[in-house]
Amino acid sequence: MLDTLTLLVVAVIQFEVIGAVLLTTWFVSRRARGALGGGGIVAVAAALCLLPVWYAWDTGAAAIPGFEWTLLALVVLGPACLLLFLALQLVRSEAILRAVRITRSGQSVLGLSQVADAEELEEDLRQAMQETGQLYVHYQPIYSADTRSVVGFEALLRWNHPHRGLVAPMQFIPLAEQTDLIVPLGAWVLETACAEAASWPEPWYLSVNLSPVQLEKVHLVRDVRAALQRTGLAAERLELEITEGVLVAAEGGEISRLAELRRTGVRIAIDDFGTGYSSLGYLRQLPFDTIKIDRSFVRNLESDSSAQAIVGTIVELSRRLDREIVAEGVETEGQYAILNALQCHRVQGWLLGKPMPPDEIATTYFPALIGEGGERALSWV
């Protein structure tokens, strides 16, 4: 029979380890702190109830068959399960740590207050995904450069937090990617935007950003097809944007998914072109239809001849590859005139139109459609 000393030694070792992990998690993870607040009380209460039973068994005042093995299992398995729970919380905290790194002068600045704020922001984002009204999609018009007429819109996700106000996409999108919330979030944006675009005049197309996390999922093609089928939008009117850096690092499975999407009629655009710092040889291998010139080149068109030369080279490259070209960040008439002279196909920026809600699109571009239908309410996929 196991004696009391053996059980005490096992218990002390187990709870010494648990104490160290508990204190670490308590200060790092707000979610674990909340869960342990209730679970800890239950554990302490259970331990206090076991003490008189333990004493009665140890002194021989009560004979409980198999009690020593039951007690040993509780002493070993209880802390082990709690340690597993704490380890999972610490793994989540590590993901949060990566998500809240701030780059300043080439260095990463990291603090526990930022970790706590990121966890709160994640919880708020989860809550926003369960409610209606906080998350919504705006659409920025894309114009033909030569006719200066609308040819399509890019869907842009916005978050109006009830207390924080408007949260910048650069603040919550990376966090959503770190926690895999981007998968249901991106699916909702895709279907919401496709449903809206289905009501536009047929020549207009829709451009939607695709996260690298979404591209990794094997069910991406199925989800895109399902969204198109449910909303009635033709595949030829949908364009998915992938950043250049993601495409350069894409593996075989991801490239094959893009190729399959192209075979269904969906167009693929390389976003932020010119910022990938890589060989142009990948353009021969990747499936794409459109190149989007990064706004950093457009910004200096009027004052920097080198920027004009680079943009002109990209436009000529796209022409030789028989691909469409879009310039982002057009903010002045001078930039527009230069891009038009360089024979850029399409332009996008605040000069031509800011991101706007669906009702403003209807008011501005086809007021006859106002009143033909109410707001679409789509559930999270």
Side-chain angles (χ1 to χ4, degrees), residues 358-377:
D359 55 350
E360 189 173 336
I361 294 178
T363 304
T364 306
Y365 298 103
F366 45 96
L369 295 183
I370 298 178
E372 292 186 3
E375 180 181 356
R376 297 176 180 85

Side-chain angles (χ1 to χ4, degrees), residues 50-310:
L50 283 174
L51 283 177
V53 180
W54 189 340
Y55 177 78
W57 166 77
D58 185 52
T59 58
I64 306 175
F67 177 73
E68 65 272 20
W69 297 109
T70 302
L71 190 61
L72 182 61
L74 289 173
V75 169
V76 174
L77 294 180
C81 291
L82 187 55
L83 279 172
L84 179 61
F85 168 77
L86 295 177
L88 291 175
Q89 293 300 327
L90 287 175
V91 169
R92 291 185 60 83
S93 297
E94 174 60 23
I96 297 297
L97 293 179
R98 292 196 302 270
V100 299
R101 285 191 177 93
I102 299 176
T103 302
R104 293 177 182 171
S105 302
Q107 296 183 351
S108 293
V109 180
L110 193 62
L112 288 179
S113 61
Q114 293 171 304
V115 175
D117 183 66
E119 281 201 320
E120 291 178 2
L121 191 64
E122 180 193 342
E123 289 299 322
D124 291 345
L125 181 57
R126 291 180 185 275
Q127 183 66 30
M129 292 172 64
Q130 302 302 319
E131 299 177 358
T132 301
Q134 287 195 45
L135 294 165
Y136 51 91
V137 182
H138 276 186
Y139 303 87
Q140 186 171 29
I142 302 171
Y143 280 70
S144 169
D146 56 348
T147 63
R148 199 158 179 158
S149 59
V150 173
V151 293
F153 290 84
E154 179 181 357
L156 301 169
L157 179 62
R158 296 291 184 260
W159 181 13
N160 190 7
H161 192 279
H163 304 296
R164 299 173 185 261
L166 287 175
V167 183
M170 292 302 295
Q171 186 177 0
F172 71 88
I173 293 297
L175 183 60
E177 292 177 339
Q178 289 284 348
T179 56
D180 266 3
L181 288 176
I182 194 65
V183 176
L185 189 59
W188 177 82
V189 170
L190 176 64
E191 185 156 348
T192 300
C194 286
E196 184 62 37
S199 67
W200 298 343
E202 190 152 326
W204 292 0
Y205 74 95
L206 169 71
S207 184
V208 180
N209 291 279
L210 194 65
S211 164
V213 179
Q214 293 174 275
L215 185 59
E216 293 174 357
K217 303 302 179 183
V218 295
H219 51 75
L220 171 65
V221 178
R222 182 197 65 195
D223 292 346
V224 172
R225 285 175 174 170
L228 292 173
Q229 184 177 7
R230 284 192 294 265
T231 60
L233 183 69
E236 294 75 16
R237 297 179 61 196
L238 175 63
E239 182 176 79
L240 297 177
E241 297 185 17
I242 317 290
T243 61
E244 181 186 20
V246 172
L247 277 178
V248 170
E251 299 179 352
E254 296 162 347
I255 294 176
S256 65
R257 281 189 281 278
L258 292 177
E260 187 174 355
L261 284 170
R262 286 192 76 206
R263 286 193 293 270
T264 65
V266 176
R267 294 186 293 180
I268 305 298
I270 302 179
D271 197 13
D272 300 335
F273 186 83
T275 61
Y277 305 104
S278 61
S279 169
L280 294 178
Y282 74 94
L283 293 176
R284 296 186 297 105
Q285 306 168 4
L286 295 178
F288 73 97
D289 303 274
T290 305
I291 292 176
K292 298 194 73 172
I293 303 175
D294 187 68
R295 64 183 65 246
S296 61
F297 297 110
V298 177
R299 184 183 305 117
N300 300 319
L301 275 178
E302 297 177 89
S303 58
D304 188 353
S305 59
S306 298
Q308 292 187 27
I310 292 174

